[in-house]
Amino acid sequence: ENGVRVQLTIIDTPGFGDQCNNEGCWVQVIKYIKDQHAAYLESELKPQRARIIEDSRVHACLYFLNPGSRGLRPLDVEVLRRLTEVTNVIPVIAKADSMTTEERTLFKRRVKEEMSFHRISVFPYASDADNEEDRLLNASIRDLIPFAVVGSEESIDVDGKPVRGRRHGWGVINIFDETHCDFVHLRNFMLRTHLSDLIEVTAQRHYEQFRTSQLRQIKELRAQQAAAAAAGSGMPVGAQPPSAPLPHQPAAQV
């Protein structure tokens, strides 16, 4: 758009949360996100690293909420708590055309109250470094969260004009009409106004926390190896043992 090319990688999680027993269903999702952090850290620590490291880190996670529920389910609370520790989470109401505007407003209010009660912090985060313009923009985004979206791949003729939307018995949903759903707001938020922020926050907050934790574990592991080697072979305690691998190893690529 306007000569700017954006390369996106989308990772889907079909069937997530649909089982009778959803205990631990988030484990593979969290592991995948950490694997990407580990792969990036491994590239950073190479003696001869590439000038530009391929960035496969997850910069945003769209978490879809069930419109049929009356708010956050216990599963949603547990998963959101864990996801917000490792990536930028953006809550979204799926199939928002299954709700009336009054039901949608009530659902959004209830979700916000429950996230506040459970201390779940989602993107965008408040920052003292934000100027007045950024504060106003982020406040308007927080008013929309969770975004109520309607998806469609169908083109429908309305008054002789093609419209991307869904046809119902009572009328047509135009997904690009801001009075029908929040799809346009979500698109602008992720791809225009906050794209750089998503990347920056991933690097400075989530990845930095992962990197610090990994390097601290490596330091502790080397200290244990040095103590064990010194006790077993008379090696001076200050001697350097063999280098330790990363505690969290990225999964092998198949």
Side-chain angles (χ1 to χ4, degrees):
E1 184 176 356
N2 297 328
V4 178
R5 185 181 299 273
V6 178
Q7 182 177 355
L8 296 176
T9 300
I10 299 176
I11 304 100
D12 193 11
T13 57
F16 176 82
D18 292 341
Q19 308 303 316
C20 294
N21 181 4
N22 289 302
E23 184 177 358
C25 64
W26 56 83
V27 171
Q28 290 302 315
V29 178
I30 301 294
K31 182 180 182 301
Y32 178 84
I33 295 172
K34 288 186 175 182
D35 281 349
Q36 307 317 303
H37 287 331
Y40 193 89
L41 177 58
E42 188 175 20
S43 297
E44 268 193 337
L45 297 179
K46 287 181 178 178
Q48 295 181 340
R49 62 184 180 183
R51 188 170 61 88
I52 299 178
I53 300 175
E54 181 179 355
D55 190 356
S56 63
R57 294 172 295 184
V58 176
H59 298 104
C61 173
L62 292 176
Y63 189 86
F64 287 87
L65 301 170
N66 185 349
S69 62
R70 295 187 176 181
L72 295 180
R73 301 169 297 173
L75 174 64
D76 296 326
V77 173
E78 184 66 27
V79 176
L80 284 171
R81 277 177 171 171
R82 295 173 182 269
L83 280 175
T84 51
E85 293 177 354
V86 295
T87 190
N88 302 314
V89 177
I90 303 170
V92 174
I93 305 172
K95 300 179 181 178
D97 54 335
S98 63
M99 312 169 74
T100 65
T101 53
E102 293 78 11
E103 290 172 339
R104 187 187 304 174
T105 301
L106 181 61
F107 188 87
K108 285 191 173 190
R109 184 186 310 134
R110 184 176 293 121
V111 168
K112 289 177 184 177
E113 291 173 352
E114 292 178 351
M115 287 196 301
S116 176
F117 177 79
H118 293 289
R119 298 182 180 180
I120 297 171
S121 179
V122 296
F123 189 86
Y125 310 110
S127 173
D128 295 335
D130 291 341
N131 56 35
E132 187 62 26
E133 183 179 354
D134 290 335
R135 291 192 186 96
L136 292 175
L137 177 59
N138 289 339
S140 66
I141 294 298
R142 294 189 189 98
D143 287 340
L144 292 170
I145 289 176
F147 293 93
V149 299
V150 179
S152 174
E153 296 180 354
E154 181 181 0
S155 182
I156 302 172
D157 285 336
V158 177
D159 298 330
K161 296 181 180 180
V163 170
R164 180 69 63 85
R166 300 180 67 177
R167 188 183 299 278
H168 294 274
W170 42 263
V172 173
I173 289 284
N174 179 0
I175 67 173
F176 295 115
D177 190 332
E178 297 178 10
T179 63
H180 290 184
C181 71
D182 298 331
F183 177 82
V184 172
H185 295 296
L186 177 62
R187 180 192 62 183
N188 293 341
F189 168 59
M190 294 191 66
L191 299 180
R192 294 178 181 174
T193 61
H194 286 74
L195 177 60
S196 297
D197 290 342
L198 286 166
I199 299 172
E200 183 177 339
V201 171
T202 296
Q204 296 183 359
R205 179 171 179 158
H206 301 296
Y207 172 70
E208 192 61 30
Q209 289 176 352
F210 176 85
R211 180 179 180 275
T212 300
S213 173
Q214 292 289 288
L215 295 181
R216 183 180 294 115
Q217 291 181 52
I218 292 175
K219 181 178 179 181
E220 293 173 354
L221 181 59
R222 286 179 175 174
Q224 293 173 4
Q225 291 176 340
S233 62
M235 179 190 299
V237 176
Q240 291 294 325
S243 59
L246 291 174
H248 185 100
Q249 289 289 336
Q253 299 295 322
V254 179

